Amino acid sequence: MLAILKVIGRVFLISIGLLCIAGGGLCVVLGSTSGEVGGIAAIGLVSLLLGAAGVWWILRSWMGERREKEGEDVR
């Protein structure tokens, strides 16, 4: 039961990260095309970077945990 909740939580966090990436990309495009609003592009860039870092960190820890478990099964 706990393993299922961990997977659901990770999928939820990855989906939030992907939403940050999509929203950040949209803000960067909208901010860069309109010459007046440069702040939107900066906010979008920050959101894009934070979303990408979050997804990368979650996937890296998930795969690391899987490798450790496979290492224990081999022994």
Side-chain angles (χ1 to χ4, degrees):
M1 180 71 172
L2 184 61
I4 293 172
L5 291 176
K6 284 176 77 172
V7 170
I8 290 172
R10 287 176 177 157
V11 169
F12 180 72
L13 289 174
I14 289 171
S15 67
I16 289 174
L18 292 175
L19 282 173
C20 286
I21 292 170
L26 181 65
C27 287
V28 167
V29 169
L30 291 176
S32 65
T33 56
S34 66
E36 301 172 0
V37 189
I40 291 177
I43 292 171
L45 187 60
V46 169
S47 175
L48 185 73
L49 293 174
L50 287 176
V55 170
W56 175 78
W57 179 72
I58 292 166
L59 288 176
R60 183 176 173 188
S61 67
W62 200 351
M63 294 308 229
E65 186 177 297
R66 182 175 151 218
R67 286 185 191 131
E68 287 176 5
K69 187 175 181 182
E70 286 178 355
E72 292 174 0
D73 291 343
V74 171
R75 294 178 188 179

